């Protein structure tokens, strides 16, 4: 349920209303707009008498929210959420490039790629330390050593870092990580979502391989209900019957999410396509559709990458992508 409060309301009546809501065992989420305050009620609202609330002087409108996701709902929070991290703002009209290798492989590689992507226009460095691999015999990532090297690359370049967490037992290792990634395979690992939601860090939440938009938003709700309000949704392709690409980029998810939620939305064209040459057109499509940024895999030597070489761009290819995508993003009114 949301209660829209009039701008020039009586403070005493407002306090009275919030106290009464609390006494019903509900939490409030306040969104301060230019002309009104939107008060979202979280919890079992079945005991709230909607007509009684509507009759209050300070109340402009009351609506029941049909969708099961509340905190992520744009009705709850009409203004876009901006995620601020390490001097970078994701959302709020910016178009952000997150780039780096699929996996951190060694110090020279991660620092070299970090410098190159920064030079090309990336403002956040990605790199996997813990890798979710289909085969247990495939490279599993450098794990804690990978995080140490990412932090070194951050120290060298000043870029904030994003890296995937796969288990709650690794939380301590992520102490100095700027943004925690929940991968597609863990989008519905609800215990992990709850634990990460309590970390007090921004989260990139990737869409599950076969998840609907609503299921994805419910996973964002898990993070948010634990106090994490800085959630960035990342569309990374879904599994369909199509085999010419690794996954199928659901580009319509971008405008659909923009309607349903206030959270920033980015697109990962690398995992969506699995093909390096498709990264540029898909990034342009993402920008044109209204995404707040892209997350792109970049490797110094793709043929020798330990993971996802076929979809990785060389630094100079990434630079070219940034230039062309910037033109599209600017054309739809984004700051680049
Ligand atoms: C990744 O970003 O490296 C990754 C494993 O992505 P996804 O979870 O989308 O497959
Ligand atoms: Mn990858």
């Amino acid at each position: 349920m949301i209660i829209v409060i009039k701008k020039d309301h009586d403070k005493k009546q407002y306090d009275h209303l919030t106290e009464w809501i609390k006494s019903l065992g509900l939490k409030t989420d306040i969104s301060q707009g230019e002309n009104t305050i939107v008060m979202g009620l979280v919890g079992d609202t079945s005991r709230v008498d909607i007509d009684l609330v509507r009759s209050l002087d300070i109340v402009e409108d009351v609506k029941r929210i049909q969708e099961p996701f509340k905190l992520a709902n744009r009705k709850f929070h009409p203004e876009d959420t901006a995620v601020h991290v390490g001097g970078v703002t994701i959302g709020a009209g910016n178009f952000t490039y997150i780039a780096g290798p699929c996996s951190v492989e060694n110090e020279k590689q991660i620092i070299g790629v970090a410098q190159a992507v920064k030079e090309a226009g990336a403002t956040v460095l990605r790199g996997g330390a813990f890798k979710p691999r289909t085969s247990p015999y495939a490279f599993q990532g450098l794990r804690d050593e990978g995080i140490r090297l990412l932090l070194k690359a951050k120290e060298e370049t000043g870029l904030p870092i994003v890296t995937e967490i796969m288990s709650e037992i690794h939380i301590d290792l992520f102490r100095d990580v700027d943004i925690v990634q929940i991968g597609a395979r863990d989008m519905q690992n609800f215990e992990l979502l709850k634990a990460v939601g309590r970390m007090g860090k921004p989260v990139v939440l990737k869409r599950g391989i076969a998840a609907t938009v609503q299921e994805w938003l419910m996973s964002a709700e898990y993070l948010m209900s634990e106090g994490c309000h800085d959630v960035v949704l990342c569309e990374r392709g879904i599994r369909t019957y199509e085999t010419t690409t690794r996954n199928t980029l659901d580009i319509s998810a971008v405008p659909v999410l923009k309607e349903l939620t206030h959270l920033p939305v980015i697109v990962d064209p690398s995992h969506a396509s699995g093909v390096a040459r498709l990264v540029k057109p898909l990034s342009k499509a993402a920008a044109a559709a209204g995404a707040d940024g892209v997350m792109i895999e970049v490797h110094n030597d793709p043929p020798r990458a330990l993971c996802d070489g076929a979809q990785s761009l060389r630094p100079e290819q990434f630079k070219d992508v940034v230039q062309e995508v910037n033109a599209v993003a600017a054309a739809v009114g984004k700051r680049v």
Side-chain angles (χ1 to χ4, degrees):
M1 181 181 287
I2 57 166
I3 304 175
V4 183
I5 310 279
K6 290 176 189 160
K7 192 180 176 199
D8 302 313
H9 58 265
D10 179 76
K11 176 89 176 63
K12 248 194 178 150
Q13 281 191 37
Y14 180 88
D15 290 344
H16 197 149
L17 175 63
T18 52
E19 269 161 40
W20 175 66
I21 289 164
K22 266 188 213 145
S23 76
L24 294 174
L26 301 167
K27 282 190 191 148
T28 56
D29 179 83
I30 308 297
S31 174
Q32 190 98 36
E34 251 176 45
N35 298 314
T36 49
I37 295 174
V38 176
M39 182 189 284
L41 307 196
V42 189
D44 177 12
T45 55
S46 59
R47 282 165 57 216
V48 180
D49 181 343
I50 193 162
D51 296 319
L52 178 72
V53 177
R54 191 173 280 123
S55 70
L56 300 174
D57 276 350
I58 61 165
V59 171
E60 189 163 295
D61 200 7
V62 192
K63 288 182 205 132
R64 283 207 187 271
I65 304 250
Q66 301 302 328
E67 297 90 351
F69 52 94
K70 309 287 178 204
L71 295 166
N73 203 311
R74 192 179 276 288
K75 288 178 191 149
F76 242 58
H77 190 292
E79 319 258 317
D80 285 343
T81 283
V83 172
H84 304 282
V85 58
V88 176
T89 301
I90 304 174
N94 298 298
F95 194 83
T96 303
Y97 294 90
I98 302 176
C102 180
S103 315
V104 181
E105 297 174 6
N106 56 64
E107 183 170 332
K108 192 161 168 259
Q109 174 239 17
I110 191 65
I111 293 180
V113 173
Q115 285 164 338
V117 297
K118 182 183 179 183
E119 212 258 318
T123 52
V124 180
L125 175 67
R126 64 147 288 147
F130 291 91
K131 293 304 304 176
R133 302 304 301 274
T134 304
S135 166
Y137 309 119
F139 175 58
Q140 303 286 305
L142 297 183
R143 304 168 70 88
D144 46 348
E145 172 67 0
I147 293 188
R148 192 183 70 74
L149 296 178
L150 276 169
L151 292 170
K152 199 137 196 226
K154 174 185 173 179
E155 210 178 285
E156 292 286 328
T157 57
L159 293 177
I161 55 174
V162 55
T163 191
E164 178 169 351
I165 192 165
M166 287 171 55
S167 168
E168 197 182 331
I169 62 173
H170 299 141
I171 278 182
D172 285 348
L173 296 170
F174 284 70
R175 203 176 36 244
D176 299 320
V177 166
D178 300 283
I179 308 174
V180 179
Q181 178 171 316
I182 302 273
R185 290 152 194 84
D186 275 318
M187 189 206 82
Q188 287 191 314
N189 182 341
F190 301 117
E191 288 300 316
L192 181 64
L193 290 169
K194 285 191 247 179
V196 170
R198 291 191 288 266
M199 285 173 77
K201 289 183 186 286
V203 175
V204 164
L205 177 63
K206 293 195 132 193
R207 181 180 188 173
I209 287 168
T212 64
V213 165
Q214 179 155 317
E215 285 163 345
W216 188 9
L217 288 170
M218 290 311 290
S219 293
E221 198 73 16
Y222 263 94
L223 294 165
M224 299 179 84
S225 63
E226 295 292 341
C228 170
H229 287 270
D230 293 331
V231 180
V232 178
L233 299 165
C234 180
E235 161 61 37
R236 47 79 73 210
I238 48 175
R239 183 160 290 180
T240 67
Y241 49 80
E242 182 51 62
T243 56
T244 54
T245 47
R246 184 177 178 182
N247 292 290
T248 299
L249 177 61
D250 179 11
I251 201 71
S252 55
V254 177
V256 165
L257 286 168
K258 286 286 165 191
E259 282 176 16
L260 295 176
T261 179
H262 52 89
L263 298 172
V265 180
I266 62 170
V267 168
D268 172 347
S270 308
H271 291 90
S273 66
V275 182
R277 68 170 194 289
L278 297 180
V279 168
K280 190 201 279 186
L282 296 188
S283 299
K284 286 180 172 175
D292 298 293
V294 282
M295 171 141 84
I296 294 178
E297 285 189 342
V298 179
H299 194 281
N300 52 312
D301 188 5
R304 271 182 270 279
L306 294 181
C307 183
D308 287 352
Q311 67 194 35
S312 299
L313 301 184
R314 296 173 189 280
E316 62 275 14
Q317 292 173 309
F318 174 65
K319 194 169 179 179
D320 171 56
V321 167
V322 171
Q323 274 160 13
E324 287 200 29
V325 175
N326 271 349
V328 179
V332 297
K334 287 282 193 309
R335 256 186 314 279
V336 292

